[in-house]
Amino acid sequence: MARILVLGGTDLANAFVTALRVAHPDLEIVLSLAGRTRNPKLPDCVIRTGGFGGTEGLAAYLREEGITALVDATHPYAAQISANAAKAASETGTPSLHLVRPAWEQASGDNWHHAQDYEEAARHLDALSQTHPLTVFLTVGRQELKPFHSLMNCTHVARSVEQPDAAELPPGARVVLARGPFREEHEMAFLKDNAIDVIVSKNSGGTATYGKILAARSLRMPVVMVARPPLPEGEIVGYVESALTWVERIL
Ligand code: NAP
């Protein structure tokens, strides 16, 4: 029986697994999670949890488990696992695909400040807060907050699925625990209620977290947009349907 390993941790991976089960009930699908989130939302398939032990560990897993094909449907900012997946697939001759949502495009009315990384995002905030204090909505994930710790004239509101450790948070930051999707009306009310002046965001793509971008557009609010890390080489698709077509081709 053909076995597909899907690297997940995203809604897109879950949607792909669900669609693949319907299209190929005879396939064995293994969904792999890093194990960072407690009580993750999961589709109905075999689940494995935890790191593989780098590229070598993943290559060994592909061989030992007789994996027919690998679909990397991790988050666009999960650069390490995507790089490992590309190398392990190439080393073992396993057909592989990156399934990643297309990035959001800047549209009329958007006031985006582009940053290559979180350090540059913090420098943008520093510049924007020179003349007046800012309340910043940090939506970058709890492991990416360090560069924002030393901003003198900013107060932070950090939204996270899980409570960050105190050491991860910028001094004085307020935490809002919530799991998306977040619609535009919700985000509009959130930005107003919390007197937010500027948003820091990843370019995640998709609709689940696009509400804040739409709300910022309506409010003419600046968004510091952190660029995606480059994807490793290999075949890339942006939608579940295209990934299903790829599976048809390689089976
Ligand atoms: P990362 O930096 O690219 O990966 C770090 C290490 O975590 C990898 O080397 C691997 O450990 C392990 N790992 C990551 N994803 C895995 C998976 N699906 N299955 C098994 N092991 C995995 O990843 P990250 O940015 O910390 O993200 C961790 C997970 O959260 C990913 O699954 C990602 O899809 C999800 N996520 C990330 C973000 C984000 O903004 N980064 C947002 C939403 C969801 P080994 O080297 O030991 O194999």
Side-chain angles (χ1 to χ4, degrees), residues 58-203:
L58 180 51
Y61 182 93
L62 295 174
R63 283 193 202 96
E64 286 159 18
E65 297 294 323
I67 298 297
T68 317
L70 170 64
V71 176
D72 170 21
T74 55
H75 193 270
Y77 289 73
Q80 186 61 59
I81 187 70
S82 291
N84 293 355
K87 282 192 214 131
S90 154
E91 271 173 40
T92 56
T94 310
S96 75
L97 179 73
H98 294 289
L99 169 59
V100 59
R101 288 200 193 285
W104 298 319
E105 304 260 336
Q106 190 165 359
S108 169
D110 283 333
N111 178 8
W112 288 7
H113 298 253
H114 297 276
Q116 280 312 304
D117 51 32
Y118 302 103
E119 285 72 21
E120 192 181 349
R123 288 198 293 279
H124 276 304
L125 293 180
D126 194 32
L128 289 167
S129 62
Q130 287 302 310
T131 50
H132 52 280
L134 292 179
T135 302
V136 181
F137 183 26
L138 288 173
T139 63
V140 293
R142 65 190 174 97
Q143 280 154 3
E144 324 292 358
L145 298 173
K146 207 75 206 166
F148 305 99
H149 281 212
S150 52
L151 292 167
M152 302 303 290
N153 217 12
C154 294
T155 306
H156 301 285
V157 178
R159 186 163 67 193
S160 175
V161 175
E162 308 216 320
Q163 179 66 40
D165 296 337
E168 290 174 324
L169 287 168
R174 199 155 58 75
V175 178
V176 177
L177 295 180
R179 192 196 291 260
F182 303 104
R183 299 161 76 97
E184 182 180 359
E185 310 81 69
H186 172 279
E187 299 294 61
M188 186 74 89
F190 182 93
L191 296 175
K192 287 181 180 166
D193 292 350
N194 290 280
I196 302 294
D197 298 302
V198 54
I199 300 172
V200 182
S201 177
K202 297 178 186 182
N203 193 331

Side-chain angles (χ1 to χ4, degrees), residues 1-2 17-29 44 244 247-248 251:
M1 186 199 295
V17 167
T18 303
L20 191 58
R21 272 181 56 82
V22 172
H24 292 277
D26 50 323
L27 265 183
E28 186 175 343
I29 306 167
D44 182 16
L244 290 176
V247 171
E248 295 287 342
L251 279 182

